[in-house]
Amino acid sequence: MPFTETLAPHLLADMNNKNQVHRTRPWPGLFPAGPKTTFTSFGDANCMEQLLVHCANAIESNDATLAQQILWVLNNTAPPDGDSNQRLTCGFLRALIARAARNGSCKMLAAVAASNYDIALLHETHRFSVIELASFVDLTPWHRFGFTAANAAILEAVEGYSVIHIVDLSSTHCMQIPTLIDAIASRSLEAPPPIVKLTVAWVAEEDGHVPPPPPLLDDVSYEELGRKLVNFAMSRNVTLKFQVVHSSYREGYSTLIEHLRVQNFYKDNCEALVINCHMTLHYISEETQLTTLLHDPNPSGNNPYPHFEPSALVSPRTMFLKALRSLDPTIVVLVDEDADFTSNDLVDRLRSAFNYLWIPYDTVDTFLPKGSKQRQWYEADVCWKIENVIAHEGAQRIERVEPKSRWVQRMRSAGFRGFGFGEEAVSEVKSMLDEHAAGWGLKKEEEDHLVLTWKGHNVVFATAWLPT
């Protein structure tokens, strides 16, 4: 049966549904006029979203015929080298084909799609040198916003301490640390700067059921990275002690927690403990499970989560935050993307991701030219995220971003209270944003939390917390 008789009535019903939530931002038409297609009445972002939703439902129900009809339309309206909206849709199209390859009778559909459609199913993520990654991070406020806000809060919280122990849980491989060291040195011109201890969690690439999320470093060990940081700190007259703990989000950083608990036992009143969480905590599973299934007893026989019974039903994220609270840190900074990819329903995840991940595609046009290598690296990283959200389930689906409101609730329940960002932090963030495109903005919300925006839409939030 032709497309207009099978799929179009469903789309029209969805688009006319009064309860349908429509996008508030303008999108250009994606179905081109002319002899190639007659579907110009569906040429907007709501239609693209509905096409993807119907394709997802067809794949889940093993309706290969309907799925192939929708894939044909999407392939003809969303080329991988098109405008930002088309590239976004193409990213989801590739992810749905990857999911079809794992799903029943639609495996044949995936093979047909890969061979007949102009779609590269494999998007290899780039491996950065340290210098490349530092330059890459500086291109956009996506990470710099969190760096700037976190550094300001940390400097205020550790004022007067002679030793600052920073535990860096970051997706950017310590790229925030040089700016923090530089700020510490600048504030210590009239007195000897404090000693800085830096602990990072190293996640082995073969650890877990899925490759680590981008960005990836190219043949640089964390030990070598530590030596570079120590030398940089020395050039700024700051003593830096660097250590790596082999731990991972898959086991809820339990090895790291146990390591910190032993170290924290000897901590005196002159040492500040800073926990810096930059876009990594959403990789910890949010699903409530038996703790005995998640955490095997460690070799020492100690329980890294002493506040929970071994067979307790509890979220690993809750366990981790409670464990952090037991360490009595001086400050905890939590920076992450303000979206929700946690639903177990594929369509809900697809809608949520589609209505958030248009932002990186839209912003990249403002700072990277079409066809540049950096742009290819940038969009390959976004495609990795899309595929993980859409094509994977269970332990392989690690992109489980939660909105700020839910993290605020988690932090309060774990025994933390908000530590507001002052005017100095706001001023520094605004100065940083002035270096980028005009679409970026800043919001200060309840308890003085900061939110990075793009054209008025929430992108990344920054929060700081003290033990209650």
Side-chain angles (χ1 to χ4, degrees):
M1 192 175 291
F3 169 83
T4 50
E5 295 181 30
T6 55
L7 184 61
H10 298 291
L11 277 179
L12 288 173
D14 283 338
M15 306 268 298
N16 292 328
N17 187 345
K18 294 182 180 180
N19 294 324
Q20 178 73 28
V21 178
H22 292 283
R23 198 183 311 278
T24 58
R25 58 190 175 88
W27 284 59
L30 292 181
F31 287 91
K36 188 173 183 178
T37 178
T38 59
F39 311 130
T40 54
S41 60
F42 305 121
D44 61 16
N46 288 315
C47 173
M48 289 289 91
E49 185 178 346
Q50 289 302 322
L51 282 169
L52 291 168
V53 165
H54 282 288
C55 188
N57 283 327
I59 290 172
E60 291 302 277
S61 61
N62 284 326
D63 190 340
T65 301
L66 179 57
Q68 188 168 0
Q69 290 173 338
I70 305 171
L71 288 173
W72 180 86
V73 176
L74 289 169
N75 184 64
N76 281 276
T77 56
D81 58 349
D83 62 28
S84 61
N85 304 326
Q86 292 169 323
R87 299 196 309 275
L88 167 70
T89 304
C90 182
F92 278 86
L93 172 58
R94 288 186 290 195
L96 285 173
I97 293 176
R99 186 178 182 92
R102 301 176 174 87
N103 189 26
S105 63
C106 277
K107 289 182 179 180
M108 181 65 71
L109 165 67
V112 172
S115 61
N116 289 281
Y117 298 155
D118 185 22
I119 295 172
L121 290 179
L122 297 176
H123 31 264
E124 186 174 349
T125 53
H126 178 68
R127 290 181 172 273
F128 294 88
S129 69
V130 174
I131 295 176
E132 279 181 339
L133 183 56
S135 300
F136 190 74
V137 166
D138 281 343
L139 289 172
T140 169
W142 206 281
H143 291 291
R144 290 190 71 198
F145 161 76
F147 293 174
T148 306
N151 286 352
I154 291 170
L155 289 173
E156 182 178 349
V158 302
E159 185 72 32
Y161 285 92
S162 60
V163 180
I164 304 173
H165 184 181
I166 303 166
V167 180
D168 190 43
L169 301 178
S170 170
S171 62
T172 57
H173 310 287
C174 299
M175 290 298 107
Q176 177 182 342
I177 300 305
T179 59
L180 181 55
I181 291 174
D182 193 62
I184 291 172
S186 299
R187 289 200 173 196
S188 307
L189 296 178
E190 298 180 359
I195 296 172
V196 178
K197 298 178 180 179
L198 177 60
T199 299
V200 298
W202 181 70
V203 181
E205 292 203 12
E206 65 275 9
D207 188 21
H209 305 281
V210 68
L216 303 176
L217 284 177
D218 182 26
D219 296 329
V220 180
S221 68
Y222 264 38
E223 287 77 9
E224 183 179 349
L225 182 62
R227 287 193 291 271
K228 293 179 182 292
L229 290 171
V230 168
N231 291 335
F232 172 79
M234 190 180 304
S235 72
R236 303 294 285 120
N237 197 33
V238 173
T239 299
L240 175 65
K241 300 179 180 180
F242 181 87
Q243 61 180 340
V244 178
V245 177
H246 291 247
S247 191
S248 73
Y249 45 79
R250 187 169 64 91
E251 40 96 7
Y253 294 114
S254 59
T255 305
L256 174 67
I257 291 296
E258 176 61 20
H259 175 84
L260 294 175
R261 178 167 288 114
V262 172
Q263 284 202 335
N264 210 40
F265 180 78
Y266 299 102
K267 188 185 78 171
D268 57 37
N269 293 329
C270 296
E271 180 175 327
L273 177 60
V274 175
I275 312 294
N276 185 60
C277 307
H278 184 90
M279 298 193 186
T280 54
L281 296 195
H282 69 259
Y283 295 127
I284 300 174
S285 174
E286 99 291 355
E287 296 176 328
T288 300
Q289 302 180 25
L290 282 172
T291 57
T292 49
L293 300 180
L294 290 166
H295 301 285
D296 296 327
N298 57 57
S300 66
N302 298 322
N303 179 11
Y305 299 102
H307 300 283
F308 300 98
E309 293 296 326
S311 60
L313 277 170
V314 66
S315 162
R317 295 184 184 183
T318 298
M319 293 165 57
F320 175 77
L321 295 179
K322 287 281 190 180
L324 283 189
R325 176 62 185 86
S326 71
L327 298 175
D328 196 28
T330 307
I331 186 172
V332 176
V333 181
L334 173 56
V335 175
D336 217 319
E337 296 167 330
D338 198 5
D340 188 357
F341 300 161
T342 59
S343 175
N344 288 325
D345 182 77
L346 173 63
V347 169
D348 287 346
R349 288 205 310 277
L350 189 151
R351 290 188 185 279
S352 181
F354 190 82
N355 284 277
Y356 176 76
L357 292 174
W358 69 272
I359 297 173
Y361 281 98
D362 197 44
T363 61
V364 74
D365 290 335
T366 68
F367 65 89
L368 288 175
K370 187 174 182 179
S372 71
K373 287 185 177 180
Q374 286 185 320
R375 181 156 163 169
Q376 294 172 11
W377 302 341
Y378 181 89
E379 294 193 355
D381 288 359
V382 182
C383 283
W384 188 98
K385 185 187 294 285
I386 293 173
E387 181 172 323
N388 191 263
V389 171
I390 300 301
H392 295 278
E393 296 293 349
Q396 291 186 323
R397 180 162 61 87
I398 63 172
E399 281 289 348
R400 297 171 180 257
V401 176
E402 286 188 300
K404 178 174 75 73
S405 58
R406 206 174 298 164
W407 280 113
V408 168
Q409 183 179 4
R410 286 185 184 279
M411 293 299 292
R412 288 174 179 166
S413 298
F416 292 95
R417 61 182 176 86
F419 179 70
F421 294 91
E423 290 306 313
E424 183 176 351
V426 172
S427 177
E428 290 182 11
V429 171
K430 287 181 177 178
S431 296
M432 181 272 297
L433 293 180
D434 287 341
E435 302 173 16
H436 298 278
W440 294 105
L442 176 67
K443 291 196 302 188
K444 197 172 185 180
E445 297 189 342
E446 71 281 355
E447 294 190 14
D448 293 332
H449 300 153
L450 300 183
V451 179
L452 175 69
T453 64
W454 172 253
K455 296 181 179 179
H457 297 265
N458 287 11
V459 182
V460 177
F461 66 85
T463 61
W465 303 88
L466 305 178
T468 52

